[in-house]
Amino acid sequence: MKDPLYITSHGTLSRRGNTLYFINKDIKKPLPVNRINEINCYGKVTLKSGASSMLMKMGIPVNFFNKYGYYEGSLYPRLQLNSGLVVVKQSEHYIDSAKRSQIAKEMVLGIRHNLIKSLKYYRKKGKDVDSYIDTIKKENVEGDIPQLMSSEGRMWNAYYQSFNCILKKFKMVKREIRPPTTELNALISFGNSLLYVSALSEIYHTYLHPSISFLHEPAERRFSLSLDIADIFKPLIVGRVIFKLVNNKMISEKDFERDVGVMLNDRGKQLFLKEYQNKLDTTIKHPKIKRKVSYKYLMRLEAYKLIKHVLGDQEYESFKAWW
């Protein structure tokens, strides 16, 4: 089984023969490239040309994040799976406003379902979240893309305000992004960036083009389809990780640092990354394919469903948690 590698310190990726090393002033560590499916760099990491060539040949992408945990870009191998037909059909479904809206609406329905499902879980634990559930339920999922995006935004706003009822510490005043100015916003931003890259990694293993999206508007310098897929899973992955870390007192104020904004320090990043990877690796019994799959693989299944839809094989139904 291959897993992501997370690098949180500064250093250099270098190649010596057929071995990849991470090197800095303190260590020279060989990396098990045969057990790595992606590398995520949260420190200032330099890639030597030999290391870059090796990673590209092995199909291992390298993702870079800034000090706040925001995704900045990737060194990506050329696409391993290519299908001109899928990309053409994917593009057709973006260009045709009716076809695009159909997919986008179903994505927002999945987001709404999973937001409510997550909040109901905490209601069972005695959290007073009924008003937030009602607000999300009442959102009308209809209209064109701007209307769907507005509806989704109001759902997320209600969900984030519910954090004040669920969390034992850290208050949500308002969602801030660049830069986050509170510990809670820093946790959300860090987790969302992680999930974006995880979704991108799963898309990479399908025939879909990551820049052609349906709910979010395609833009330069981002893989917007990753945003589409990541949003469906945020409540079940990022939210759950944050609630566990905070309510179980695994993370506290000492795990953050400040400059212009607030960000996780090295210890905080390590704590978050460990719990995040544990969540991705958690498996559940899938009712349709009749076997256990990981949370991460559920995102790849979402991409497969989109392929079937654009090819006309099966109408797309977004992921909706059943447990």
Side-chain angles (χ1 to χ4, degrees), residues 206-221:
T206 74
Y207 292 116
L208 291 172
H209 198 288
S211 294
I212 305 171
S213 52
F214 304 102
L215 179 58
H216 293 84
E217 198 64 42
E220 292 183 5
R221 304 190 332 190

Side-chain angles (χ1 to χ4, degrees), residues 69-222:
Y70 292 123
Y71 171 78
E72 290 197 320
S74 300
L75 176 64
Y76 245 77
R78 62 184 180 185
L79 293 174
Q80 294 178 329
L81 299 174
N82 291 292
S83 171
L85 176 61
V86 170
V87 174
V88 167
K89 293 295 184 182
Q90 187 182 354
S91 302
E92 287 177 356
H93 280 71
Y94 166 74
I95 293 169
D96 186 310
S97 59
K99 290 180 178 179
R100 180 184 175 188
S101 292
Q102 179 187 358
I103 297 173
K105 175 182 176 180
E106 182 56 33
M107 287 176 166
V108 177
L109 287 172
I111 293 166
R112 184 175 69 177
H113 175 93
N114 294 329
L115 287 169
I116 292 170
K117 195 76 172 180
S118 180
L119 291 180
K120 284 183 175 179
Y121 173 83
Y122 290 97
R123 184 174 66 184
K124 291 178 182 178
K125 292 181 173 291
K127 305 298 183 181
D128 184 16
V129 294
D130 282 348
S131 63
Y132 303 105
I133 292 173
D134 291 340
T135 297
I136 294 169
K137 277 183 177 179
K138 290 175 183 176
E139 275 299 326
N140 184 34
V141 184
E142 296 291 346
D144 57 17
I145 299 300
Q147 290 171 316
L148 290 170
M149 288 291 290
S150 294
S151 179
E152 184 205 9
R154 290 189 293 270
M155 291 180 201
W156 283 113
N157 182 63
Y159 173 70
Y160 287 134
Q161 289 302 315
S162 76
F163 282 28
N164 290 325
C165 297
I166 297 172
L167 293 175
K168 296 177 180 178
K169 66 185 304 180
F170 300 135
K171 290 297 181 182
M172 171 60 73
V173 178
K174 64 177 181 177
R175 179 75 177 105
E176 297 171 316
I177 300 177
R178 295 184 181 272
T181 60
T182 66
E183 290 88 352
L184 185 50
N185 275 304
L187 287 169
I188 295 169
S189 293
F190 190 75
N192 288 351
S193 290
L194 279 172
L195 190 59
Y196 170 84
V197 172
S198 296
L200 177 60
S201 177
E202 295 308 299
I203 293 169
Y204 178 72
H205 293 287
T206 74
Y207 292 116
L208 291 172
H209 198 288
S211 294
I212 305 171
S213 52
F214 304 102
L215 179 58
H216 293 84
E217 198 64 42
E220 292 183 5
R221 304 190 332 190
R222 75 175 186 183

